[in-house]
Amino acid sequence: MALPIVLGLLWTAVVLLWGWQTRPRQVRSPAPAPPKPHSSKTTRAAGVAMAAVIALAVHPVVGIGMGLMMWIAPHRRRALQQRRLQAEVIDELPEAIDLLRLAISSGLNVHLAVAAVGERLLGPVGLGLAGAAQRTHTGLRLADALEPLPDTVGEPVRPLVRVLVDGDRYGTELEPALEQLAADSRLLRRRRAEEHARRLPLRLLLPLVACILPAFILLTLAPVLAETLTTLRQ
């Protein structure tokens, strides 16, 4: 009886640690979906009911572990979505800055350049720029429409927003600043790719240990062990 309880407590500790390490960051999508409180409450009620049934039918510790999993799964999914959004922003940012430089060097002002780039990019940066351009049609100034973008799209766009806001409010020259931003954004994207490349050996470690190593042991040690046992029996 003590062994299942100990195993259940260990599993609970692992699940809690995993949920804490993968807790969602403060990055939201460019067009956040409206919350669905009814659906969330229904999901939580279903998770509590399932955990209670498992606790009564199988074991209380198993029910507690299932309840924790049902509680952590939405946070884990939200964290993955935010991480994916952050990666999309970093990947799209250099192209957005290059298009802004091209539009401004062609003679467009900041407002027209932002609107043109927002129409041609389909990622989170393009959606954020297009939304800012649309909000100006309601009488809002472009600088005021661009300022919320770091909160809705992500922190990587903050330097770009600062340059565009200064250009709209104070008429500062944009091409040198955008050129430097393009170089910095490409460096950031390259560093992220290098970081993913460094993580690849760690991600391959589990498949290597779980799949390849047992087969290697069976092919190398199993015949030697079988031959040794046969010799000892004789």
Side-chain angles (χ1 to χ4, degrees), residues 50-144:
M50 184 181 300
V53 170
I54 293 176
L56 294 175
V58 182
H59 197 279
V61 176
V62 179
I64 293 173
M66 183 61 66
L68 289 173
M69 287 294 295
M70 294 292 293
W71 177 73
I72 288 175
H75 297 278
R76 173 69 175 174
R77 183 172 61 253
R78 190 158 52 248
L80 291 176
Q81 291 175 353
Q82 292 171 354
R83 210 172 296 136
R84 192 178 301 115
L85 171 64
Q86 192 80 354
E88 291 176 359
V89 170
I90 294 175
D91 290 339
E92 187 187 13
L93 195 56
E95 283 75 17
I97 296 174
D98 286 338
L99 288 176
L100 285 170
R101 286 177 56 201
L102 179 61
I104 291 173
S105 63
S106 300
L108 299 180
N109 57 21
V110 182
H111 184 280
L112 294 177
V114 169
V117 174
E119 291 176 358
R120 285 161 178 79
L121 291 179
L122 303 179
V125 179
L127 293 177
L129 294 177
Q134 289 176 0
R135 286 192 294 273
T136 59
H137 297 308
T138 62
L140 190 66
R141 189 172 180 177
L142 179 62
D144 298 330

